[in-house]
Amino acid sequence: MLYITYMEENIKISASNYVKAALNVANCFLNLTPIEMDIISTMLNNGATSITAASRKLLIDSLHKSKHVISNNIKRMKHKSILIQDNKKAVVIHPKILSYIKGKQFIVKFDINENNNS
């Protein structure tokens, strides 16, 4: 017999640390590297959701990384679909990630099927 218990963990966090903490929680699904998390959190903490010349400069200055490091990580995040092209051909943070962050709450449910080995 399988018993499923309910577990809830409330974590108090400052507004300035929220985005990074939320990305850390969601990272089991996103598979971001530390620099990729830094890029996304820096963008969101500064109100940027798309890759523009201004957001690239912000990332270079804030993270103290070269334009090549930033560009290579942006390319990897496009490959992972963390960054996508919107209908206006702009490269933006995937809307699902934005919904994780803006929701300020994560609920993860496991649906266990004993007949399936997944």
Side-chain angles (χ1 to χ4, degrees):
M1 181 175 274
L2 179 65
Y3 292 98
I4 299 175
T5 59
Y6 176 74
M7 182 178 106
E8 181 176 317
E9 186 67 34
N10 294 313
I11 302 169
K12 292 188 185 264
I13 191 160
S14 69
S16 62
N17 292 326
Y18 170 72
V19 173
K20 186 85 174 245
L23 286 172
N24 273 311
V25 171
N27 202 34
C28 61
F29 306 109
L30 301 174
N31 197 29
L32 297 171
T33 66
I35 184 70
E36 291 169 346
M37 279 197 289
D38 288 341
I39 288 171
I40 298 296
S41 65
T42 299
M43 288 178 65
L44 293 175
N45 283 333
N46 287 283
T49 58
S50 63
I51 302 297
T52 63
S55 63
R56 284 178 186 265
K57 180 161 178 31
L58 168 74
L59 293 169
I60 291 165
D61 294 344
S62 297
L63 299 176
H64 307 290
K65 302 291 182 188
S66 72
K67 67 179 180 179
H68 301 292
V69 168
I70 298 299
S71 293
N72 287 339
N73 281 282
I74 288 170
K75 182 178 178 180
R76 276 197 301 265
M77 286 190 287
K78 284 182 191 176
H79 182 72
K80 293 179 180 180
S81 297
I82 301 299
L83 297 174
I84 61 169
Q85 279 193 332
D86 67 5
N87 57 1
K88 298 175 185 170
K89 303 284 187 197
V91 176
V92 298
I93 298 171
H94 196 291
K96 192 164 189 172
I97 294 170
L98 296 177
S99 71
Y100 289 154
I101 302 303
K102 290 180 181 179
K104 300 202 187 304
Q105 177 175 296
F106 288 89
I107 298 172
V108 178
K109 294 181 180 182
F110 292 92
D111 185 9
I112 300 170
N113 181 348
E114 293 186 31
N115 297 325
N116 188 353
N117 293 331
S118 298

